[in-house]
Amino acid sequence: MVTLRFPKRSRVVKSLLGYLMIGLVKLLGLVPLSAAQKVGTGIGNMLWKRRTRSREVARVNLALCYPDMGEAERETFIHETLKENGKIAAELGPMWSYDPEKTYGLIRNVYGEDILDAAIADKRGLILLAPHLGNWEIINNYISKKCPITIMYRPAKSTSFNKWMVTRREHVGCKLVPTTRAGVKSLFDALNNGEMIGFLPDQEPREKSGVWAPFMGVETLTPKLPHEMLQKTGAQAIYGFAKRLPDALGFDLYFLSVDDDLYDADPRVCATSMNRGIETCIGYCREQYQWTYKRFKRRPDGENNPYKEAGVP
């Protein structure tokens, strides 16, 4: 049997879906933060009521990371994290459409600002390790008021949406580079020039780009790139995240110091330190972490993919 392929139609469909997403995000950018977050809560409730991929991925992740948690508590946790994940999706409207000053006004408190300011003043180059926790978009707005920042991002599948997304993220003053060889070079160049870069440290890399290190008690393929950048440029690093406050009150920002092991010459020691730092960040608002991401898909030799074992697509 011959399989027919329609590449042109596929591109058209992706483009149309991209414009639809742009329209939805723009629409959410016309409403107050409270309304956007209510939409996000509704998205989370929908994901909870059905056997969705997000719900089942979160169930697998929490079973691995909190093995001693009771079933009732875990189910409540899953429901809450789906609502928080729904909020980050709906908050793209305010984050990408509000005037930058209005977005900046959503920041209530900044903890560890002295840590951030001292690191910026050091001029050795700075890596901001920002895990998928709370609302990471608003950090761009805050940092850009202090200094230039170059951020690596994973391009969206829709070209139209990707182009618009980059434009909106850069309108606050940051520079975006894709997860390509050229993008990595841009990160090294920025650090060698004494500038700041932003890096999401909790995405699963390809095996050749990662090292196995414990995260939440689970051996996890962890990016080696932060270690390589620290070793080759002599840069420093801190952690940063934005905690969502209840009742649409806004966000609190946190900046935390790293421990000395992050600068160790051994990539596993560095990765273990980085994962430990991410765990510390998660402890501030654990339901707001992106538990819907397949963080443990790749396994060490001999171990099965836990998502496939659970029948998660």
Side-chain angles (χ1 to χ4, degrees):
M1 181 181 292
V2 177
T3 300
L4 298 178
R5 299 182 184 277
F6 302 93
K8 291 184 178 180
R9 182 179 179 183
S10 177
R11 287 195 294 269
V12 170
V13 170
K14 287 181 181 179
S15 181
L16 289 175
L17 289 174
Y19 285 118
L20 176 61
M21 287 298 299
I22 292 172
L24 290 174
V25 174
K26 284 185 175 181
L27 184 62
L28 286 168
L30 298 175
V31 302
L33 179 66
S34 58
Q37 289 187 348
K38 286 179 180 177
V39 172
T41 298
I43 293 172
N45 286 332
M46 289 174 59
L47 294 173
W48 163 253
K49 291 176 181 177
R50 297 169 177 79
R51 192 182 187 278
T52 58
R53 179 182 182 276
S54 294
R55 189 186 75 174
E56 299 310 310
V57 168
R59 179 169 282 122
V60 171
N61 287 340
L62 294 177
L64 289 170
C65 296
Y66 298 97
D68 298 328
M69 183 180 289
E71 183 177 353
E73 183 183 359
R74 185 177 296 139
E75 290 302 300
T76 299
F77 195 148
I78 294 169
H79 191 185
E80 290 302 313
T81 203
L82 289 174
K83 289 190 288 187
E84 294 298 325
N85 275 247
K87 288 176 185 177
I88 182 61
E91 285 166 358
L92 290 179
M95 294 301 114
W96 292 355
S97 298
Y98 284 1
D99 179 85
E101 288 300 321
K102 183 177 180 179
T103 307
Y104 190 85
L106 297 175
I107 299 170
R108 298 293 171 252
N109 301 288
V110 181
Y111 299 99
E113 186 174 22
D114 56 327
I115 295 172
L116 173 64
D117 289 343
I120 293 173
D122 192 279
K123 301 300 183 183
R124 278 185 293 163
L126 175 62
I127 304 176
L128 176 67
L129 298 169
H132 289 84
L133 180 65
N135 187 311
W136 48 92
E137 297 288 345
I138 199 168
I139 294 179
N140 300 344
N141 188 295
Y142 179 77
I143 294 293
S144 295
K145 277 186 167 289
K146 287 181 172 287
C147 66
I149 181 170
T150 301
I151 300 170
M152 176 166 276
Y153 77 103
R154 183 167 293 175
K157 293 181 180 179
S158 167
T159 303
S160 55
F161 183 79
N162 186 75
K163 182 178 180 180
W164 184 76
M165 174 184 69
V166 171
T167 300
R168 298 318 299 159
R169 280 177 165 169
E170 289 187 335
H171 87 293
V172 298
C174 58
K175 175 184 177 182
L176 266 69
V177 297
T179 51
T180 61
R181 186 181 297 274
V184 172
K185 182 181 183 300
S186 295
L187 296 184
F188 275 93
D189 289 345
L191 292 175
N192 284 322
N193 289 332
E195 299 171 4
M196 184 191 295
I197 70 158
F199 189 84
L200 298 167
D202 51 354
Q203 287 188 322
E204 186 181 66
R206 292 177 295 179
E207 289 204 41
K208 67 178 183 179
S209 302
V211 59
W212 292 101
F215 171 63
M216 303 293 287
V218 183
E219 281 295 309
T220 305
L221 194 60
T222 305
K224 287 192 299 186
L225 185 55
H227 173 261
E228 294 170 357
M229 291 189 292
L230 291 169
Q231 292 296 309
K232 293 179 180 180
T233 69
Q236 57 191 318
I238 61 173
Y239 300 104
F241 65 93
K243 177 182 177 180
R244 182 179 299 105
L245 299 176
D247 303 319
L249 292 177
F251 304 87
D252 282 350
L253 270 54
Y254 291 79
F255 297 98
L256 283 64
S257 298
V258 303
D259 62 41
D260 291 341
D261 283 349
L262 192 79
Y263 302 107
D264 195 276
D266 186 327
R268 177 175 167 86
V269 174
C270 172
T272 300
S273 171
M274 184 169 69
N275 285 344
R276 190 165 57 242
I278 296 170
E279 291 176 24
T280 298
C281 294
I282 291 172
Y284 284 82
C285 47
R286 64 181 189 174
E287 290 84 2
Q288 295 185 25
Y289 188 60
Q290 190 174 275
W291 296 108
T292 54
Y293 175 64
K294 289 186 177 181
R295 187 69 180 88
F296 309 109
K297 184 170 57 178
R298 293 184 174 89
R299 307 306 309 137
D301 292 340
E303 289 190 20
N304 295 326
N305 181 322
Y307 308 104
K308 284 187 177 180
E309 284 194 327
V312 183

